[in-house]
Amino acid sequence: MELSRRRLIQSGLLSLAAAGIGGTAACGGSGGTAAGSGGGTTELTLWYWGGGLSDKVVADAVKQFAQTTLKPSVIGGDFKQKLIATMNGRKFVPDITGIKGENISSMLAESDRFIDLNTLGADKLASQYVEWKWKQGSTTDGKLIGFPIDIGPTALFYRDDIFEKAGLPSDPTEVGTSMSTWDTFFEAGVKLKKANPDAFIIDSAEGLFDKMVGQGPKRFIDESNKFIGDQPHIRGAWDMVIKANGLGVIAPKYDGADWNAAAAQGKIAGTVGAAWFALDLKSGVEATSGKWRVAPMPSGPANIGGSFLALPRECRDPQLAFQIVTWLLSADNQARGFTDAALFPSTPASYDLPALTGGDPFFGDQKTIEVFGPAAKNIPVQYEAPADAAVAQPFKDEIINVWTKGKNADTAWTDAVSAAKQIAGRQGVS
């Protein structure tokens, strides 16, 4: 459910992919120019994907930097694959490119293909962005490759009418206080089930596991490229999800339209998701407008999603390209990105701007920035290895097997660890 909006946007732009690539190829850089040697170029090219930047802000950048011809292209399909193929060809490489959050670790592993933005003065701007995101775009030796675009601080989305009828706290502050840990949240889920047997306090075992893993500093592979998916920080998250499943507080597995129908019927009374998930809710369960609220996620925030801008080493005018990047991603323009494309800003200064401080009718006029703003600042710094997603997948698959097929949890854990180690080995992880 959480990635559905962006997937929809992407699929809707597939038809533009060929045109985007073709158009860029016709106007892009020829490659081979050494970083830092540019200047005075007559054009710069910018690649991003649908929803990756505010189209309105990009259009204004074209006017703002009239000393060059800024040519933006929305690239559909597999963005990373097309970027890598173009960089490998060393022709028509974009001067400025987006990098999706799930791809930043693999790009950092090839940092010599990009310009260290600190050499252009990025280090002087670091304090304006949330620290953990800045570090996510940096190499271990301190080079900044990815300049932060948006982030995805998580929170608990819940139905206040269902909570209230069940005798649970319904005010966001009270929910945040009384359900500050996963244990107290699950206890509330049990109380909800007793009062309303058709309602569940959380919608997905897989999603719950994902958010729990995101709450700590370590994931499945450490910075020395060693597999650590069998260690207590992962086992602890696994055991908490198994506990919730055993208590019966997790809803049956719903996807797509079935998820929307279950939420509209009040069967799903809560879910944990990123700030941009609000758009999914608004489009998927419009009829429930005014009944949802947002509270801090139990046991602390995590991050889901978010992306970066980078300058490939072929960039024809790094100084000017960097000026464009910092203008696009200033606090004011990130606030506009939130309004235009639900891109949650990586600049805390944006959180005090009118675009984010107003009440949201869908959430009963709640000022949701009062939840997401503090969450954004408190997300832990996590190391995410290039092979992390592949190694994590067996754990998610086995959690689903326990959740939907009743597979023995210990057997599932053993199978998950075994499969993850095999994948890790094939990926060069020790």
Side-chain angles (χ1 to χ4, degrees):
M1 179 67 182
E2 284 199 342
L3 293 177
S4 60
R5 172 182 156 265
R6 294 188 179 190
R7 285 173 179 157
L8 285 169
I9 290 172
Q10 275 194 343
S11 61
L13 289 164
L14 284 176
S15 61
L16 297 178
I21 288 287
T24 304
C27 63
S30 59
T33 304
S37 64
T41 184
T42 57
E43 69 173 33
L44 289 173
T45 53
L46 163 65
W47 279 22
Y48 66 108
W49 53 91
L53 292 169
S54 161
D55 292 332
K56 294 179 181 177
V57 173
V58 170
D60 284 349
V62 173
K63 301 173 186 174
Q64 177 75 17
F65 295 92
Q67 66 269 48
T68 189
T69 300
L70 178 61
K71 294 188 173 181
S73 292
V74 175
I75 307 298
D78 190 328
F79 187 91
K80 178 187 175 186
Q81 183 182 54
K82 292 175 179 176
L83 177 63
I84 293 297
T86 304
M87 293 175 73
N88 287 343
R90 297 183 61 81
K91 290 184 178 180
F92 312 118
V93 178
D95 298 290
I96 307 169
T97 184
I99 296 178
K100 294 186 178 182
E102 61 266 34
N103 299 325
I104 187 65
S105 56
S106 61
M107 296 297 185
L108 293 180
E110 299 187 68
S111 60
D112 60 340
R113 306 185 76 166
F114 297 92
I115 296 172
D116 175 7
L117 300 178
N118 285 331
T119 65
L120 300 171
D123 52 335
K124 299 178 178 64
L125 305 175
S127 62
Q128 299 177 25
Y129 296 80
V130 289
E131 181 183 6
W132 61 269
K133 181 73 174 183
W134 194 269
K135 290 184 177 177
Q136 225 178 33
S138 302
T139 62
T140 53
D141 61 353
K143 297 175 184 174
L144 183 73
I145 303 302
F147 201 93
I149 302 180
D150 62 321
I151 59 176
T154 58
L156 168 66
F157 295 82
Y158 70 95
R159 286 278 299 271
D160 83 319
D161 56 329
I162 295 175
F163 273 32
E164 185 175 2
K165 286 180 182 177
L168 298 175
S170 58
D171 175 77
T173 301
E174 293 178 0
V175 169
T177 302
S178 65
M179 304 175 200
S180 62
T181 68
W182 290 118
D183 280 326
T184 54
F185 178 66
F186 298 156
E187 289 171 8
V190 171
K191 187 173 182 179
L192 173 63
K193 283 292 294 177
K194 288 181 179 176
N196 182 352
D198 292 331
F200 297 86
I201 202 165
I202 192 73
D203 63 323
S204 168
E206 179 192 8
L208 185 58
F209 178 71
D210 202 30
K211 308 305 181 301
M212 286 182 174
V213 171
Q215 289 180 306
K218 297 186 291 186
R219 295 184 61 85
F220 297 88
I221 302 167
D222 69 13
E223 295 185 35
S224 63
N225 204 35
K226 181 182 177 183
F227 174 73
I228 55 173
D230 56 352
Q231 295 189 6
H233 65 288
I234 299 297
R235 183 63 196 242
W238 173 279
D239 287 343
M240 287 300 286
V241 176
I242 297 302
K243 177 181 179 179
N245 191 54
L247 290 170
V249 300
I250 305 177
K253 192 173 186 298
Y254 296 113
D255 295 306
D258 290 339
W259 193 99
N260 292 339
Q265 294 164 7
K267 295 178 181 177
I268 294 174
T271 183
V272 284
W276 46 263
F277 179 67
L279 271 190
D280 283 337
L281 272 180
K282 292 176 182 178
S283 62
V285 288
E286 185 178 1
T288 60
S289 178
K291 298 178 179 178
W292 290 87
R293 300 290 185 274
V294 176
M297 192 167 80
S299 297
N303 177 71
I304 303 294
S307 50
F308 304 85
L309 283 179
L311 306 185
R313 67 184 180 191
E314 291 85 358
C315 178
R316 290 169 289 180
D317 191 338
Q319 291 289 352
L320 181 56
F322 182 66
Q323 289 178 37
I324 294 172
V325 167
T326 55
W327 187 88
L328 285 168
L329 303 178
S330 66
D332 286 344
N333 282 330
Q334 288 215 30
R336 292 179 61 197
F338 178 77
T339 301
D340 298 341
L343 297 167
F344 194 88
S346 55
T347 44
S350 303
Y351 307 161
D352 297 324
L353 298 177
L356 283 88
T357 55
D360 189 330
F362 187 85
F363 294 102
D365 290 326
Q366 181 186 356
K367 297 177 180 178
T368 59
I369 189 62
E370 294 177 355
V371 174
F372 288 117
K377 298 174 185 175
N378 292 312
I379 292 169
V381 177
Q382 267 197 339
Y383 172 71
E384 186 171 341
D388 184 89
V391 171
Q393 193 58 49
F395 292 91
K396 297 180 182 180
D397 293 341
E398 292 297 339
I399 280 281
I400 292 174
N401 285 337
V402 175
W403 174 34
T404 63
K405 300 177 181 177
K407 184 173 180 176
N408 177 274
D410 290 333
T411 302
W413 169 260
T414 300
D415 290 347
V417 171
S418 176
K421 284 183 175 178
Q422 290 182 35
I423 293 172
R426 291 197 294 270
Q427 300 271 345
V429 178
S430 61

